[in-house]
Structures are given as C-alpha cells and as structure tokens.
Amino acid sequence: MGGIDILKKIAKSVLYFIETAHTRVKWELNAWWLFLTTMILKKCAYGPFTGEFGHLLGHNLPFISYLHSKGVKIHFCGLEIHTPFFIDENGDPTVDKYISIRDFYAERAPSCNSADVPNDVKALTREFITKSKQALSPYWNNENHEYYFYFFRWWVLRNRFIKVYDLSKTYKTNEENSVVIFPRKWNANFPSQTLVQLKNNGEAWDYFEVSKCASKFFDKVYVIGHPVFCEVNFSSFDNVEVLLIADNSLILEKCCNSKLIISQHSGSVYLGEYTNTPVLIIYKGSRSIGNIEITQQFKQGLGTRHEFKYAFNFEEIENHLKQI
C-alpha cells in the first residue's frame, strides 16, 4: 500500500470521526432541549412504540414513568396490549392520553424499538406523528433506529431518567407457591441472524422438561407468554398450566403472585423489577451469554430488587429450584 493510499484511509477515518462526533453532539443537544422543555411545560408527546417487549420494559417505559413521576402529562401512542404496564403504584395511569394500536404481532414481527407495521396501523401512527410534530408540545420521536439504539437509551441510563413502579402493589392477588416460565422462541424478524440470536438467547430448551422439572418444587407452574413469541408443543398437565395469551394483566398477576420467573436471555428478564419477583435466566449451549453485560447494565438502571440468577443445564435449574 502506497503513501497516498494510506493518507486517503487516514483522511476517510478522520472525516468519519468528525461526522460521527457532529451527529452525537446534535443528538445530545436535541435530547436535552426536549427534556428541558418537557420539564418546563409539563407535557409532551411520545411514540409511537411498536417494538419488542424488552425495549418497552428496559428503555421506554422507565423513561415515561420518570416523566410521569415529575408531573408531566404524556400523550402516548403504543400497543393496546401494553396498557397494563402504564400505571403507577396507586393503579393510576402514567400517561394522560393513550392512543391504542391493535396487536399486529401475528402479522409483523417487531425489531428493536419499532416494526414494519401493517397499512392500517401505519395510517394511525402517521397521523399521531403528524399531529405531534404540529403541536406546540415537545415530541419524543424515537423512530430513527440509530438515534434510539446507539444514543437515546444510553442517554436515559446515563442520566438516570428512570422510574420503575412496583406493579405488584396493583396486580398481586395472592401469595402462591408458583413459578412462571416464559418459553421464548427466536424473533422471526431475523432469519438471517441465526448466529446472533443463538449467541444472545442460547439454544432452544425442551420446555416440557423444564416445566416437569419445576413442577416437583412448586404447587403451580405457569407456562406463559404472548403466543407469537412462545414455543410450546404441549398442553397443560398435572400442576402445569399453559397460558399462551396476549393479556398482560393476567401475565403480570401470575408474575407478581409467583416466587420465581424463568426465562431465556430476552426482554422478559426485566419483568422481575416491575413485579418484585426473582428471575432465573436459563441459557443452553455454553456458559457465555451474548450481550448479557449490556442487559445487566440496563437492569441495574431499573433497580436492584433482585439480582439475576443463572442456570446452564437441567441440573443447575433443579439445584436452584431446591433452594427456593
């Protein structure tokens, strides 16, 4: 490689650094301007949120709850099935107005903070965006993936603009000797990223065997979750109840009433901080969980009611359950 080629590469790298730094400064200034005007005016619009469960619990909901805790009236657009999460510890709504989007997950899989939504949903979200941009209130629009994924969620964490309401104060109805199992399956939106999902989520578990193992230690085992995101090929048996539903009120109730949540490395692991329930992360294939350190950072931001526990095979699952 000649000297001119090396200089071209250096110049290209310097230019990239300048452009990246300029973008991040612009993002930082924009976020702080939105935040300050939101705090002054005590109102804002936020959304639409059409993304993954973990991005709701890990990044969007805690920021919205923080704004609510500061007296901000929020005009929000998101999925109707997520409304049970938008309450405080008194059971009061955390948003002033909730524009509901139907559950389209059986048609289109979410990716990160958004989804390629069906046309009828797109018409609704476009209307929300247009009206929010035309209004005089601050508007938190996280449609830009680069802005949201690489800046906004870290900005929220860095500045501790986070509030997690203890939803067990509303949804806990009983003290059960029970466990909740989320039988997660891979996101169909990433068929070309099999290795990435394998690294992050681990190999597939036999959830019949996981449930049978748990049934020896609990009076009730709930195999639960949204049917689109669950992999279950068995029905209820003995003290194991299979509840593949999109009713998050019931899912929250079962989590709040139970002594443990079992899940692969997915967005469901954040639930424990909301329901005041310990979480056991099960991972199959190795003892190195992809991106777990990032999940840990965001989980610490949500709170430390319970630290994650881990199991990498059936023997470790059983040993953990024996101690509860």
Side-chain angles (χ1 to χ4, degrees):
M1 182 183 292
I4 294 177
D5 291 331
I6 293 175
L7 288 175
K8 285 181 179 179
K9 286 185 176 294
I10 292 174
K12 187 176 180 179
S13 297
V14 171
L15 181 61
Y16 174 77
F17 174 79
I18 292 172
E19 290 175 345
T20 303
H22 175 264
T23 298
R24 294 194 68 84
V25 169
K26 184 172 66 175
W27 286 347
E28 191 85 35
L29 292 174
N30 177 68
W32 278 109
W33 172 251
L34 277 174
F35 183 77
L36 291 173
T37 53
T38 297
M39 290 295 105
I40 292 169
L41 297 175
K42 295 298 182 184
K43 62 179 180 178
C44 70
Y46 193 105
F49 178 83
T50 55
E52 298 177 66
F53 191 47
H55 283 274
L56 174 72
L57 299 184
H59 318 302
N60 291 272
L61 181 60
F63 181 63
I64 290 170
S65 297
Y66 176 85
L67 295 181
H68 168 265
S69 73
K70 300 302 179 182
V72 176
K73 294 186 179 299
I74 305 160
H75 187 181
F76 177 74
C77 180
L79 272 82
E80 183 176 6
I81 60 172
H82 291 153
T83 55
F85 292 96
F86 286 79
I87 61 170
D88 62 17
E89 293 175 356
N90 296 316
D92 297 323
T94 54
V95 295
D96 195 51
K97 190 174 183 181
Y98 197 117
I99 305 299
S100 295
I101 299 171
R102 68 176 179 84
D103 180 4
F104 59 83
Y105 286 150
E107 303 160 58
R108 306 284 177 86
S111 171
C112 189
N113 197 49
S114 59
D116 180 17
V117 298
N119 287 336
D120 64 310
V121 176
K122 188 175 294 184
L124 190 153
T125 58
R126 290 298 102 188
E127 181 182 7
F128 175 83
I129 292 169
T130 299
K131 288 183 177 179
S132 298
K133 287 181 176 178
Q134 292 173 347
L136 297 177
S137 302
Y139 175 34
W140 296 87
N141 181 356
N142 291 332
E143 279 194 310
N144 183 321
H145 173 78
E146 301 293 314
Y147 168 79
Y148 165 76
F149 192 78
Y150 295 108
F151 172 76
F152 174 77
R153 63 190 190 131
W154 294 100
W155 178 81
V156 169
L157 177 65
R158 185 172 71 249
N159 292 290
R160 294 295 188 265
F161 296 147
I162 294 169
K163 176 71 177 179
V164 174
Y165 288 114
D166 183 356
L167 299 184
S168 68
K169 294 185 177 180
T170 296
Y171 289 106
K172 189 178 183 69
T173 60
N174 199 7
E175 193 75 47
E176 295 184 26
N177 181 33
S178 61
V179 60
V180 169
I181 299 173
F182 285 93
R184 187 192 188 282
K185 69 177 180 181
W186 287 359
N187 189 336
N189 206 44
F190 301 110
S192 63
Q193 297 188 21
T194 301
L195 292 179
V196 174
Q197 294 197 69
L198 181 62
K199 181 181 179 182
N200 287 349
N201 309 128
E203 298 174 8
W205 287 85
D206 183 338
Y207 279 104
F208 177 80
E209 293 298 328
V210 174
S211 303
K212 192 162 67 171
C213 175
S215 70
K216 296 184 293 184
F217 302 97
F218 296 93
D219 297 332
K220 196 73 175 181
V221 177
Y222 299 107
V223 181
I224 203 165
H226 193 295
V228 170
F229 307 113
C230 294
E231 193 77 74
V232 175
N233 55 8
F234 59 92
S235 302
S236 300
F237 65 94
D238 299 335
N239 60 335
V240 176
E241 185 174 355
V242 177
L243 291 170
L244 301 187
I245 53 173
D247 182 356
N248 280 308
S249 293
L250 183 58
I251 291 174
L252 281 166
E253 179 188 333
K254 297 305 181 185
C255 289
C256 291
N257 289 350
S258 294
K259 292 185 175 180
L260 182 69
I261 294 170
I262 298 177
S263 174
Q264 287 179 246
H265 180 210
S266 70
S268 300
V269 302
Y270 291 133
L271 263 174
E273 286 300 316
Y274 290 90
T275 62
N276 198 16
T277 313
V279 173
L280 175 67
I281 296 177
I282 57 174
Y283 187 87
K284 185 179 180 184
S286 77
R287 301 190 75 85
S288 178
I289 304 175
N291 288 319
I292 189 64
E293 68 283 351
I294 294 177
T295 301
Q296 281 279 17
Q297 286 183 64
F298 285 114
K299 192 271 181 189
Q300 290 297 314
L302 297 178
T304 55
R305 290 187 174 102
H306 303 282
E307 297 298 326
F308 288 148
K309 302 298 182 182
Y310 301 91
F312 297 91
N313 52 53
F314 278 104
E315 182 181 358
E316 291 184 4
I317 292 175
E318 186 161 326
N319 287 338
H320 183 82
L321 300 184
K322 285 178 181 177
Q323 299 172 25
I324 296 178

